[in-house]
Amino acid sequence: MLLDLFTPTVQHALDIVGIFVFAISGALLAVRKNFDVFGIAVLAEVTALGGGLFRDLVIGAVPPAAFTDLGYFITPLFAALLVFFLHPEVERTQLAVNVFDAAGLGLFCVTGTTKAYDYGLGLTASAALGLMTAVGGGVLRDIIANEVPSLVRWDRDLYAVPAIVGATMVALCIHYEQLTGLTTSIAILTAFTLRLLAMRYHWRAPRAWNRRSTAVEADAEETP
């Protein structure tokens, strides 16, 4: 099994860390949107678990891990509670949250790809599900919060591209039978680093060639 590259304990710990930081980002958006405590909890849960739920349902890994491991379900609630009471302090550590979010992105795009392949999907489909594992929760978060998903906004730093790169690296390693603990770690680190660089230098995907539309999003200058 590809997922045996890490011990179950290490894998579980990495998953919990990724879930926690994704939940923090969802809860913070809920606070900015003036949601009540229930809304904060819902957005934290959806952001943290949405991508993994989608992946598990597609590959037939049911019931999904989010419903069989209490830690997966409780962790976002703990993050929501933390943000509910300490959101000004959490906002001040936004840089740290962004760094951990980038780490979660790198981790989930890789583990999502390997899990999909373990369940019999082809390399391309596995990489696509790796991407969805990493970004799916954020898309659901933005939809619930009535925002255009950051994933498709031109005025947001690259998010999907680092995940695509990480997932593709894993798929290529599987194809050439070179997937080891080292190459897996390199894929995670590559996606993580690309996301950090995108945030640091505001790298963005190009828009349509010779684009003539004058439409501008009202909140284009919003801080991500």
Side-chain angles (χ1 to χ4, degrees):
M1 293 282 283
L2 296 175
L3 293 177
D4 291 337
L5 288 167
F6 299 107
T7 67
T9 301
V10 171
Q11 179 66 51
H12 188 265
L14 292 173
D15 283 346
I16 291 296
V17 170
I19 286 170
F20 180 77
V21 294
F22 280 176
I24 289 286
S25 70
L28 284 174
L29 178 59
V31 171
R32 296 186 193 115
K33 288 286 188 175
N34 203 30
F35 285 9
D36 62 16
V37 62
F38 181 74
I40 294 172
V42 167
L43 222 56
E45 289 281 358
V46 166
T47 307
L49 303 177
L53 278 171
F54 177 81
R55 176 204 60 214
D56 288 351
L57 290 174
V58 169
I59 64 179
V62 292
F67 293 101
T68 58
D69 189 317
L70 188 61
Y72 286 10
F73 187 78
I74 293 297
T75 298
L77 295 180
F78 176 74
L81 192 65
L82 186 69
V83 170
F84 180 79
F85 287 107
L86 300 174
H87 62 88
E89 287 74 14
V90 175
E91 289 277 13
R92 282 196 288 270
T93 61
Q94 186 63 49
L95 177 59
V97 172
N98 287 340
V99 170
F100 282 111
D101 182 82
L105 179 80
L107 172 68
F108 283 180
C109 73
V110 168
T111 58
T113 302
T114 56
K115 185 170 183 178
Y117 187 79
D118 268 339
Y119 274 78
L121 269 65
L123 293 176
T124 301
S126 295
L129 270 184
L131 169 64
M132 285 307 303
T133 303
V135 306
V139 171
L140 291 174
R141 173 201 64 204
D142 292 342
I143 291 173
I144 292 174
N146 198 30
E147 290 198 347
V148 176
S150 298
L151 183 69
V152 296
R153 289 183 57 166
W154 66 269
D155 59 329
R156 291 292 186 263
D157 302 332
L158 292 179
Y159 195 78
V161 171
I164 292 171
V165 171
T168 301
M169 289 177 66
V170 171
L172 289 174
C173 286
I174 294 172
H175 177 72
Y176 292 106
E177 300 182 351
Q178 297 297 319
L179 191 67
T180 64
L182 176 60
T183 56
T184 300
S185 298
I186 291 173
I188 293 172
L189 185 60
T190 299
F192 170 65
T193 303
L194 284 175
R195 173 57 181 160
L196 290 183
L197 290 172
M199 290 190 293
R200 172 65 178 84
Y201 296 106
H202 302 296
W203 292 346
R204 293 169 183 174
R207 286 183 281 174
W209 186 257
N210 288 331
R211 174 178 168 274
R212 299 185 183 279
S213 172
T214 59
V216 178
E217 291 190 61
D219 54 350
E221 299 301 322
E222 243 183 357
T223 302

PDB file of all heavy atoms in Angstrom, residues 10-33:
ATOM      1  N   VAL A  10       2.195   8.550  12.467  1.00  0.00           N
ATOM      2  CA  VAL A  10       2.690   9.766  11.810  1.00  0.00           C
ATOM      3  C   VAL A  10       1.655  10.298  10.834  1.00  0.00           C
ATOM      4  O   VAL A  10       1.380  11.505  10.786  1.00  0.00           O
ATOM      5  CB  VAL A  10       4.024   9.478  11.087  1.00  0.00           C
ATOM      6  CG1 VAL A  10       4.436  10.669  10.227  1.00  0.00           C
ATOM      7  CG2 VAL A  10       5.118   9.150  12.098  1.00  0.00           C
ATOM      8  N   GLN A  11       1.048   9.405  10.047  1.00  0.00           N
ATOM      9  CA  GLN A  11       0.032   9.817   9.080  1.00  0.00           C
ATOM     10  C   GLN A  11      -1.141  10.495   9.769  1.00  0.00           C
ATOM     11  O   GLN A  11      -1.625  11.542   9.328  1.00  0.00           O
ATOM     12  CB  GLN A  11      -0.465   8.600   8.292  1.00  0.00           C
ATOM     13  CG  GLN A  11      -1.542   8.904   7.265  1.00  0.00           C
ATOM     14  CD  GLN A  11      -1.025   9.783   6.140  1.00  0.00           C
ATOM     15  OE1 GLN A  11       0.003   9.483   5.545  1.00  0.00           O
ATOM     16  NE2 GLN A  11      -1.735  10.849   5.854  1.00  0.00           N
ATOM     17  N   HIS A  12      -1.577   9.908  10.880  1.00  0.00           N
ATOM     18  CA  HIS A  12      -2.711  10.468  11.614  1.00  0.00           C
ATOM     19  C   HIS A  12      -2.357  11.835  12.177  1.00  0.00           C
ATOM     20  O   HIS A  12      -3.164  12.773  12.107  1.00  0.00           O
ATOM     21  CB  HIS A  12      -3.124   9.523  12.736  1.00  0.00           C
ATOM     22  CG  HIS A  12      -4.390   9.907  13.418  1.00  0.00           C
ATOM     23  ND1 HIS A  12      -4.426  10.661  14.573  1.00  0.00           N
ATOM     24  CD2 HIS A  12      -5.696   9.652  13.101  1.00  0.00           C
ATOM     25  CE1 HIS A  12      -5.667  10.855  14.935  1.00  0.00           C
ATOM     26  NE2 HIS A  12      -6.463  10.257  14.068  1.00  0.00           N
ATOM     27  N   ALA A  13      -1.163  11.982  12.716  1.00  0.00           N
ATOM     28  CA  ALA A  13      -0.733  13.264  13.267  1.00  0.00           C
ATOM     29  C   ALA A  13      -0.678  14.340  12.184  1.00  0.00           C
ATOM     30  O   ALA A  13      -1.116  15.481  12.397  1.00  0.00           O
ATOM     31  CB  ALA A  13       0.630  13.112  13.943  1.00  0.00           C
ATOM     32  N   LEU A  14      -0.155  13.988  11.016  1.00  0.00           N
ATOM     33  CA  LEU A  14      -0.083  14.943   9.908  1.00  0.00           C
ATOM     34  C   LEU A  14      -1.481  15.347   9.452  1.00  0.00           C
ATOM     35  O   LEU A  14      -1.737  16.524   9.158  1.00  0.00           O
ATOM     36  CB  LEU A  14       0.703  14.333   8.748  1.00  0.00           C
ATOM     37  CG  LEU A  14       2.202  14.110   8.981  1.00  0.00           C
ATOM     38  CD1 LEU A  14       2.815  13.352   7.808  1.00  0.00           C
ATOM     39  CD2 LEU A  14       2.928  15.433   9.177  1.00  0.00           C
ATOM     40  N   ASP A  15      -2.381  14.382   9.383  1.00  0.00           N
ATOM     41  CA  ASP A  15      -3.761  14.682   8.993  1.00  0.00           C
ATOM     42  C   ASP A  15      -4.411  15.649   9.984  1.00  0.00           C
ATOM     43  O   ASP A  15      -5.087  16.606   9.585  1.00  0.00           O
ATOM     44  CB  ASP A  15      -4.585  13.398   8.927  1.00  0.00           C
ATOM     45  CG  ASP A  15      -4.316  12.591   7.671  1.00  0.00           C
ATOM     46  OD1 ASP A  15      -3.701  13.138   6.745  1.00  0.00           O
ATOM     47  OD2 ASP A  15      -4.715  11.407   7.631  1.00  0.00           O
ATOM     48  N   ILE A  16      -4.206  15.409  11.278  1.00  0.00           N
ATOM     49  CA  ILE A  16      -4.816  16.253  12.300  1.00  0.00           C
ATOM     50  C   ILE A  16      -4.287  17.680  12.205  1.00  0.00           C
ATOM     51  O   ILE A  16      -5.054  18.652  12.308  1.00  0.00           O
ATOM     52  CB  ILE A  16      -4.551  15.679  13.709  1.00  0.00           C
ATOM     53  CG1 ILE A  16      -5.336  14.368  13.904  1.00  0.00           C
ATOM     54  CG2 ILE A  16      -4.926  16.685  14.782  1.00  0.00           C
ATOM     55  CD1 ILE A  16      -6.833  14.527  13.865  1.00  0.00           C
ATOM     56  N   VAL A  17      -2.987  17.824  11.980  1.00  0.00           N
ATOM     57  CA  VAL A  17      -2.401  19.167  11.842  1.00  0.00           C
ATOM     58  C   VAL A  17      -2.997  19.881  10.634  1.00  0.00           C
ATOM     59  O   VAL A  17      -3.390  21.057  10.707  1.00  0.00           O
ATOM     60  CB  VAL A  17      -0.869  19.085  11.713  1.00  0.00           C
ATOM     61  CG1 VAL A  17      -0.285  20.449  11.336  1.00  0.00           C
ATOM     62  CG2 VAL A  17      -0.252  18.610  13.026  1.00  0.00           C
ATOM     63  N   GLY A  18      -3.077  19.176   9.497  1.00  0.00           N
ATOM     64  CA  GLY A  18      -3.665  19.788   8.305  1.00  0.00           C
ATOM     65  C   GLY A  18      -5.115  20.165   8.515  1.00  0.00           C
ATOM     66  O   GLY A  18      -5.557  21.252   8.117  1.00  0.00           O
ATOM     67  N   ILE A  19      -5.876  19.292   9.144  1.00  0.00           N
ATOM     68  CA  ILE A  19      -7.288  19.567   9.427  1.00  0.00           C
ATOM     69  C   ILE A  19      -7.426  20.789  10.323  1.00  0.00           C
ATOM     70  O   ILE A  19      -8.284  21.656  10.110  1.00  0.00           O
ATOM     71  CB  ILE A  19      -7.948  18.335  10.080  1.00  0.00           C
ATOM     72  CG1 ILE A  19      -8.169  17.247   9.019  1.00  0.00           C
ATOM     73  CG2 ILE A  19      -9.273  18.694  10.738  1.00  0.00           C
ATOM     74  CD1 ILE A  19      -8.581  15.907   9.589  1.00  0.00           C
ATOM     75  N   PHE A  20      -6.566  20.882  11.327  1.00  0.00           N
ATOM     76  CA  PHE A  20      -6.640  21.993  12.277  1.00  0.00           C
ATOM     77  C   PHE A  20      -6.403  23.338  11.591  1.00  0.00           C
ATOM     78  O   PHE A  20      -7.177  24.290  11.791  1.00  0.00           O
ATOM     79  CB  PHE A  20      -5.629  21.789  13.404  1.00  0.00           C
ATOM     80  CG  PHE A  20      -5.631  22.887  14.429  1.00  0.00           C
ATOM     81  CD1 PHE A  20      -6.630  22.952  15.387  1.00  0.00           C
ATOM     82  CD2 PHE A  20      -4.639  23.853  14.431  1.00  0.00           C
ATOM     83  CE1 PHE A  20      -6.638  23.976  16.339  1.00  0.00           C
ATOM     84  CE2 PHE A  20      -4.635  24.870  15.374  1.00  0.00           C
ATOM     85  CZ  PHE A  20      -5.642  24.936  16.330  1.00  0.00           C
ATOM     86  N   VAL A  21      -5.361  23.444  10.769  1.00  0.00           N
ATOM     87  CA  VAL A  21      -5.056  24.744  10.161  1.00  0.00           C
ATOM     88  C   VAL A  21      -6.096  25.112   9.108  1.00  0.00           C
ATOM     89  O   VAL A  21      -6.437  26.298   8.954  1.00  0.00           O
ATOM     90  CB  VAL A  21      -3.630  24.769   9.564  1.00  0.00           C
ATOM     91  CG1 VAL A  21      -2.594  24.659  10.663  1.00  0.00           C
ATOM     92  CG2 VAL A  21      -3.428  23.673   8.528  1.00  0.00           C
ATOM     93  N   PHE A  22      -6.626  24.129   8.382  1.00  0.00           N
ATOM     94  CA  PHE A  22      -7.702  24.429   7.446  1.00  0.00           C
ATOM     95  C   PHE A  22      -8.937  24.910   8.194  1.00  0.00           C
ATOM     96  O   PHE A  22      -9.634  25.831   7.753  1.00  0.00           O
ATOM     97  CB  PHE A  22      -8.037  23.202   6.609  1.00  0.00           C
ATOM     98  CG  PHE A  22      -7.092  22.953   5.460  1.00  0.00           C
ATOM     99  CD1 PHE A  22      -7.221  21.828   4.667  1.00  0.00           C
ATOM    100  CD2 PHE A  22      -6.073  23.848   5.164  1.00  0.00           C
ATOM    101  CE1 PHE A  22      -6.363  21.600   3.599  1.00  0.00           C
ATOM    102  CE2 PHE A  22      -5.206  23.634   4.103  1.00  0.00           C
ATOM    103  CZ  PHE A  22      -5.349  22.500   3.315  1.00  0.00           C
ATOM    104  N   ALA A  23      -9.222  24.288   9.336  1.00  0.00           N
ATOM    105  CA  ALA A  23     -10.377  24.690  10.142  1.00  0.00           C
ATOM    106  C   ALA A  23     -10.216  26.117  10.657  1.00  0.00           C
ATOM    107  O   ALA A  23     -11.185  26.889  10.708  1.00  0.00           O
ATOM    108  CB  ALA A  23     -10.564  23.722  11.315  1.00  0.00           C
ATOM    109  N   ILE A  24      -9.010  26.485  11.043  1.00  0.00           N
ATOM    110  CA  ILE A  24      -8.738  27.852  11.494  1.00  0.00           C
ATOM    111  C   ILE A  24      -9.088  28.854  10.401  1.00  0.00           C
ATOM    112  O   ILE A  24      -9.745  29.875  10.652  1.00  0.00           O
ATOM    113  CB  ILE A  24      -7.264  28.010  11.896  1.00  0.00           C
ATOM    114  CG1 ILE A  24      -6.969  27.268  13.211  1.00  0.00           C
ATOM    115  CG2 ILE A  24      -6.895  29.488  12.029  1.00  0.00           C
ATOM    116  CD1 ILE A  24      -7.495  27.929  14.443  1.00  0.00           C
ATOM    117  N   SER A  25      -8.681  28.561   9.169  1.00  0.00           N
ATOM    118  CA  SER A  25      -8.956  29.493   8.069  1.00  0.00           C
ATOM    119  C   SER A  25     -10.455  29.616   7.824  1.00  0.00           C
ATOM    120  O   SER A  25     -10.964  30.708   7.543  1.00  0.00           O
ATOM    121  CB  SER A  25      -8.235  29.046   6.790  1.00  0.00           C
ATOM    122  OG  SER A  25      -8.812  27.867   6.252  1.00  0.00           O
ATOM    123  N   GLY A  26     -11.191  28.508   7.943  1.00  0.00           N
ATOM    124  CA  GLY A  26     -12.638  28.564   7.770  1.00  0.00           C
ATOM    125  C   GLY A  26     -13.312  29.345   8.877  1.00  0.00           C
ATOM    126  O   GLY A  26     -14.214  30.158   8.620  1.00  0.00           O
ATOM    127  N   ALA A  27     -12.881  29.126  10.115  1.00  0.00           N
ATOM    128  CA  ALA A  27     -13.471  29.829  11.250  1.00  0.00           C
ATOM    129  C   ALA A  27     -13.193  31.327  11.184  1.00  0.00           C
ATOM    130  O   ALA A  27     -14.054  32.151  11.516  1.00  0.00           O
ATOM    131  CB  ALA A  27     -12.934  29.240  12.557  1.00  0.00           C
ATOM    132  N   LEU A  28     -11.997  31.699  10.736  1.00  0.00           N
ATOM    133  CA  LEU A  28     -11.662  33.122  10.625  1.00  0.00           C
ATOM    134  C   LEU A  28     -12.538  33.816   9.583  1.00  0.00           C
ATOM    135  O   LEU A  28     -12.988  34.954   9.784  1.00  0.00           O
ATOM    136  CB  LEU A  28     -10.184  33.294  10.254  1.00  0.00           C
ATOM    137  CG  LEU A  28      -9.178  33.071  11.384  1.00  0.00           C
ATOM    138  CD1 LEU A  28      -7.752  33.126  10.836  1.00  0.00           C
ATOM    139  CD2 LEU A  28      -9.349  34.113  12.482  1.00  0.00           C
ATOM    140  N   LEU A  29     -12.799  33.140   8.464  1.00  0.00           N
ATOM    141  CA  LEU A  29     -13.684  33.725   7.461  1.00  0.00           C
ATOM    142  C   LEU A  29     -15.087  33.886   8.038  1.00  0.00           C
ATOM    143  O   LEU A  29     -15.760  34.899   7.786  1.00  0.00           O
ATOM    144  CB  LEU A  29     -13.729  32.849   6.207  1.00  0.00           C
ATOM    145  CG  LEU A  29     -14.662  33.351   5.096  1.00  0.00           C
ATOM    146  CD1 LEU A  29     -14.268  34.743   4.630  1.00  0.00           C
ATOM    147  CD2 LEU A  29     -14.671  32.379   3.915  1.00  0.00           C
ATOM    148  N   ALA A  30     -15.535  32.925   8.823  1.00  0.00           N
ATOM    149  CA  ALA A  30     -16.857  33.023   9.441  1.00  0.00           C
ATOM    150  C   ALA A  30     -16.941  34.228  10.377  1.00  0.00           C
ATOM    151  O   ALA A  30     -17.960  34.932  10.415  1.00  0.00           O
ATOM    152  CB  ALA A  30     -17.167  31.738  10.212  1.00  0.00           C
ATOM    153  N   VAL A  31     -15.883  34.494  11.117  1.00  0.00           N
ATOM    154  CA  VAL A  31     -15.857  35.669  11.995  1.00  0.00           C
ATOM    155  C   VAL A  31     -15.924  36.951  11.168  1.00  0.00           C
ATOM    156  O   VAL A  31     -16.670  37.872  11.498  1.00  0.00           O
ATOM    157  CB  VAL A  31     -14.587  35.657  12.877  1.00  0.00           C
ATOM    158  CG1 VAL A  31     -14.443  36.979  13.628  1.00  0.00           C
ATOM    159  CG2 VAL A  31     -14.653  34.510  13.880  1.00  0.00           C
ATOM    160  N   ARG A  32     -15.159  36.996  10.082  1.00  0.00           N
ATOM    161  CA  ARG A  32     -15.173  38.189   9.222  1.00  0.00           C
ATOM    162  C   ARG A  32     -16.549  38.406   8.604  1.00  0.00           C
ATOM    163  O   ARG A  32     -16.949  39.543   8.332  1.00  0.00           O
ATOM    164  CB  ARG A  32     -14.120  38.049   8.118  1.00  0.00           C
ATOM    165  CG  ARG A  32     -12.684  37.997   8.622  1.00  0.00           C
ATOM    166  CD  ARG A  32     -11.688  37.999   7.468  1.00  0.00           C
ATOM    167  NE  ARG A  32     -10.364  37.640   7.931  1.00  0.00           N
ATOM    168  CZ  ARG A  32      -9.711  36.530   7.565  1.00  0.00           C
ATOM    169  NH1 ARG A  32     -10.268  35.683   6.708  1.00  0.00           N
ATOM    170  NH2 ARG A  32      -8.506  36.281   8.041  1.00  0.00           N
ATOM    171  N   LYS A  33     -17.281  37.318   8.379  1.00  0.00           N
ATOM    172  CA  LYS A  33     -18.621  37.390   7.805  1.00  0.00           C
ATOM    173  C   LYS A  33     -19.699  37.606   8.876  1.00  0.00           C
ATOM    174  O   LYS A  33     -20.879  37.625   8.576  1.00  0.00           O
ATOM    175  CB  LYS A  33     -18.925  36.103   7.020  1.00  0.00           C
ATOM    176  CG  LYS A  33     -18.173  35.979   5.708  1.00  0.00           C
ATOM    177  CD  LYS A  33     -18.762  36.911   4.671  1.00  0.00           C
ATOM    178  CE  LYS A  33     -18.169  36.676   3.306  1.00  0.00           C
ATOM    179  NZ  LYS A  33     -18.827  37.508   2.266  1.00  0.00           N
TER     180      LYS A  33
END
